[in-house]
């Protein structure tokens, strides 16, 4: 009888914990910047990288351990333009080594740990940090394939059809303001770890809105 009662208590506790967990959907816009070295602009002498626009759409499941701590795995689709193109002309840019203009669509799996603290009855702040996995399913790349000091010859590439060739692993973190139980507004940043990949050295800053239920 004691075992039955303990089992029932454990089930009730488990259901209560599950009831505190929430699904969410979110969307937003972003800007991305290639953090590589010197960039060869056009002949008027301008130098430096630009920023490219992007967007994302996703959903996740927030696992709450208590009123403060949580873990949230998510799945999203993301578009990124790394901003490596000629300013003033909009033509894809290049440099003499490896930096290239890239835009891409990818599937991402962010997993973040969060700490939430209330500031009033209806408003809370939340800090998140973790990692993300990413696989591009469509991308375009341009790179300079000319000899050193020769006229630029841009080579265009598309994403590989082999899973894993366009894989990336990185860090993601952000802050959000929660207004009530359902809506929150967030800022986040992400940066890739793996080198010699299409998305290497590209930092992305984003803002968005999330609906939890």
């Amino acid at each position: 009888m004691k075992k039955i009662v303990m089992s029932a208590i454990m089930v009730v506790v488990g259901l209560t914990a599950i009831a505190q967990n929430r699904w969410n959907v979110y969307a937003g816009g972003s800007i991305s910047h290639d953090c590589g070295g010197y960039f060869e602009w056009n002949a008027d002498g301008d130098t430096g990288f630009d920023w490219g626009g992007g967007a994302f759409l996703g959903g996740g499941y927030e696992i709450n351990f208590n009123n403060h701590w949580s873990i949230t795995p998510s799945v999203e689709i993301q578009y990124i333009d790394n901003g490596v193109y000629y300013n003033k002309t909009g033509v894809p840019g290049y440099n003499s080594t490896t930096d290239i203009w890239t835009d891409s669509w990818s599937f991402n799996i962010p997993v973040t740990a969060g700490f939430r603290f209330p500031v009033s009855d209806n408003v809370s702040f939340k800090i998140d940090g973790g990692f993300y996995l990413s696989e591009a399913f469509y991308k375009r790349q341009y790179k300079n394939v000319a000899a050193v000091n020769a006229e630029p010859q841009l080579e265009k590439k598309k994403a590989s059809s082999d899973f894993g060739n366009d894989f990336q692993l990185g860090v993601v973190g952000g802050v959000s303001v929660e207004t009530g139980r359902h809506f929150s507004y967030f800022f986040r940043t992400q940066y890739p770890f793996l080198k010699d990949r299409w998305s290497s050295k590209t930092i992305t800053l984003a803002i968005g809105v999330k609906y939890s239920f």
Side-chain angles (χ1 to χ4, degrees):
M1 183 64 181
K2 184 177 180 180
K3 291 183 178 181
I4 295 176
V5 172
M6 292 300 297
S7 299
I9 292 174
M10 292 179 65
V11 170
V12 171
V13 171
L15 292 175
T16 301
I18 293 175
Q20 294 176 348
N21 300 336
R22 300 189 297 172
W23 294 95
N24 63 68
V25 292
Y26 59 90
S30 64
I31 54 174
S32 298
H33 178 72
D34 190 307
C35 299
Y38 174 78
F39 185 76
E40 299 174 4
W41 282 124
N42 42 13
D44 64 8
D46 292 335
T47 59
F49 289 101
D50 210 335
W51 291 81
F56 55 93
L57 174 67
Y61 186 66
E62 183 180 52
I63 304 170
N64 291 290
F65 300 105
N66 51 45
N67 292 332
H68 299 288
W69 292 100
S70 64
I71 290 180
T72 306
S74 304
V75 177
E76 68 181 34
I77 295 177
Q78 184 177 41
Y79 171 76
I80 285 180
D81 179 336
N82 73 350
V84 181
Y85 46 80
Y86 287 126
N87 62 346
K88 302 181 180 179
T89 66
V91 176
Y94 65 93
N95 76 2
S96 58
T97 53
T98 59
D99 291 312
I100 51 180
W101 172 78
T102 302
D103 72 340
S104 64
W105 289 90
S106 62
F107 289 115
N108 297 348
I109 303 178
V111 180
T112 59
F115 180 80
R116 176 186 291 108
F117 54 95
V119 295
S120 70
D121 292 339
N122 295 316
V123 178
S124 296
F125 283 110
K126 187 180 179 184
I127 302 173
D128 291 281
F131 67 92
Y132 71 93
L133 309 175
S134 178
E135 175 72 20
F137 61 89
Y138 176 79
K139 79 171 186 290
R140 295 178 297 172
Q141 291 182 323
Y142 291 84
K143 69 176 181 179
N144 181 24
V145 294
V148 178
N149 297 324
E151 288 295 321
Q153 298 177 17
L154 299 181
E155 177 184 76
K156 181 179 179 179
K157 288 186 175 183
K158 293 185 177 180
S160 170
S161 59
D162 297 330
F163 180 82
N165 285 357
D166 297 302
F167 174 80
Q168 186 58 265
L169 167 68
V171 61
V172 60
V175 294
S176 60
V177 178
E178 300 176 335
T179 56
R181 177 167 175 78
H182 297 292
F183 283 98
S184 61
Y185 309 89
F186 62 88
F187 166 82
R188 76 177 190 186
T189 182
Q190 65 186 66
Y191 189 82
F193 283 147
L194 302 184
K195 299 180 180 179
D196 301 323
R197 302 296 177 96
W198 60 269
S199 57
S200 298
K201 304 179 182 179
T202 302
I203 188 171
T204 299
L205 310 177
I207 57 174
V209 59
K210 178 186 293 184
Y211 180 80
S212 301
F213 55 95

